[in-house]
Amino acid sequence: MAGTALVVGASGIVGNAVAERLLEEGWTVHGLSRRPGSGPGGIRPVAADLRDAAGTAAALSGLRPEAVFITTWLRQATEAENIRVNAAMVRNLLDALRPGGATRHVALVTGLKHYLGPFESYGKGVLPETPFREEQARLDVENFYYAQEDEVFAAAARDGFSWSVHRPHTIIGMAVGNAMNMGTTLAAYATLCRETGRPFRFPGSAAQWNGLTDMTDARLLARHLLWAATTPAARDLAFNVVNGDVFRWRWMWGRIAGWFGLEPAPFDGTVHPLERQMAEDAGTWRALAGRHGLAEPDLGRLASPWHTDADLGRPIEVVTDMSRSRRLGFLDQQPTDDAFLDLFARLRAARLIP
């Protein structure tokens, strides 16, 4: 049943998809971001910096959302700062909504760093066995995901709303200016390879090239968020959220290459990080954008090589179990190659790639 929702991080890769889905289902949608910009038609923008408790309270004064979807975070230089800043953002948000008294469900989007550890200790030490399952204990390391969860749990106990935590794998979706966007990063990289004649080279590890993995389409994640917010059996639970298929990058790389009319370079087992390969490409992209009349000449707003390198450079196989959702009735699936190809078509239609 439709109601009023607040999407926090509405301009991001997840928030945009969630807002679109809610609007399709007839919800009244308020979208919070620091600098509201383009978004789905019908969204009601709210400008707020969640680091500012007083400013957040003022921006949300009088707003009474029944469902709140937290899809944002701010990357900091250290994990200690990630914890301090991102926990405070969640706390300031929920404190600001408390006077309205209308919130009945809060959904928090985190990710598989819940199991793999934060960037400072990513994929190191003793990790849970794959496939990752929600009942596996937290790692014995500091992690801002845990701090965000704890803020939600404390506010739920205090204010009486239900909660859900959603842990996607790498997300495929449409956004500009997003800090973690593999799909658009690979689209920009493939375009540069095609335009310059450079080899379309897999940047990651042999473990990723040969091993099984999975990913999460932002549209499927949006459906999962709405399902959990409106399904009583899903109250107060954490969920893994992936597309439902598994693949090997040695197959997917060829699928991506083919869409761009490229032949993939042979993989020789050597890691070739995109951050290094694309380090000098800003000027090339600006010139390319001018030639093709693209909407975004700033490569830095499209590509996030550091994040793609972190995922494709992992030394371990990463697959995710979704049995908890399946048992409770969420059965949606999304072929991951279609998710990539759909995104590339949307990027072309939006004149973000030629």
Side-chain angles (χ1 to χ4, degrees):
M1 185 169 64
T4 300
L6 174 65
V7 178
V8 183
S11 61
I13 196 167
V14 178
N16 189 280
V18 174
E20 283 187 351
R21 184 66 185 183
L22 289 165
L23 289 166
E24 289 170 4
E25 297 292 329
W27 287 66
T28 299
V29 181
H30 300 270
L32 186 150
S33 56
R34 283 180 293 165
R35 293 179 293 275
S38 60
I43 196 170
R44 304 182 183 193
V46 178
D49 186 335
L50 295 180
R51 293 170 294 183
D52 177 358
T56 299
L60 295 176
S61 177
L63 215 62
R64 295 172 56 83
E66 299 152 81
V68 179
F69 301 90
I70 304 173
T71 71
T72 190
W73 71 291
L74 280 178
R75 187 186 182 202
Q76 306 298 310
T78 66
E79 192 59 19
E81 279 297 290
N82 275 332
I83 291 168
R84 184 185 67 80
V85 170
N86 289 283
M89 287 167 57
V90 174
R91 183 167 62 252
N92 293 341
L93 169 73
L94 298 178
D95 284 350
L97 291 171
R98 188 181 189 192
T103 303
R104 58 175 178 77
H105 187 82
V106 172
L108 172 67
V109 178
T110 61
L112 293 196
K113 287 189 290 296
H114 182 93
Y115 308 106
L116 288 162
F119 290 116
E120 288 181 8
S121 55
Y122 191 61
K124 300 174 183 176
V126 179
L127 298 175
E129 197 170 44
T130 57
F132 295 140
R133 292 182 168 85
E134 297 93 342
E135 63 269 19
Q136 290 167 329
R138 290 178 174 183
L139 299 176
D140 188 20
V141 296
E142 295 297 308
N143 190 325
F144 83 89
Y145 282 171
Y146 306 160
Q148 287 182 308
E149 287 184 348
D150 288 343
E151 292 293 342
V152 171
F153 301 159
R158 178 192 70 196
D159 298 336
F161 55 76
S162 64
W163 55 265
S164 56
V165 175
H166 304 256
R167 299 170 186 158
H169 199 165
T170 305
I171 298 169
I172 304 168
M174 184 84 168
V176 175
N178 189 265
M180 300 192 298
N181 193 335
M182 181 189 285
T184 305
T185 298
L186 293 180
Y189 173 59
T191 299
L192 285 161
C193 289
R194 187 181 63 202
E195 295 283 325
T196 64
R198 283 156 40 184
F200 185 59
R201 194 183 303 278
F202 182 71
S205 67
Q208 292 304 302
W209 181 254
N210 293 311
L212 290 172
T213 192
D214 48 30
M215 294 185 72
T216 306
D217 189 305
R219 298 166 299 182
L220 181 137
L221 177 55
R223 296 196 297 273
H224 193 273
L225 283 156
L226 182 54
W227 166 80
T230 55
T231 301
R235 289 173 58 101
D236 302 343
L237 289 171
F239 296 97
N240 296 328
V241 191
V242 288
N243 287 338
D245 62 349
V246 293
F247 64 92
R248 302 181 199 276
W249 274 106
R250 67 190 189 204
W251 173 80
M252 186 66 76
W253 200 246
R255 293 281 287 151
I256 293 172
W259 195 91
F260 288 92
L262 295 167
E263 282 292 327
F267 180 67
D268 63 3
T270 306
V271 176
H272 298 277
L274 287 180
E275 198 161 26
R276 187 172 65 224
Q277 290 193 60
M278 301 176 72
E280 307 298 327
D281 280 339
T284 304
W285 185 268
R286 191 171 295 277
L288 183 158
R291 288 199 307 275
H292 292 282
L294 301 185
E296 182 50 75
D298 183 354
L299 181 61
R301 287 182 47 77
L302 295 174
S304 50
W306 69 273
H307 174 256
T308 299
D309 287 340
D311 279 7
L312 297 185
R314 292 174 185 148
I316 56 172
E317 181 177 274
V318 177
V319 287
T320 316
D321 181 77
M322 265 194 77
S323 297
R324 176 173 287 179
S325 293
R326 304 305 187 208
R327 290 189 183 103
L328 295 177
F330 184 84
L331 305 178
D332 289 19
Q333 297 194 33
Q334 168 65 57
T336 300
D337 55 334
D338 286 353
F340 271 121
L341 305 189
D342 289 351
L343 172 63
F344 300 154
R346 293 177 72 193
L347 293 171
R348 180 169 286 172
R351 293 189 303 109
L352 291 169
I353 60 172

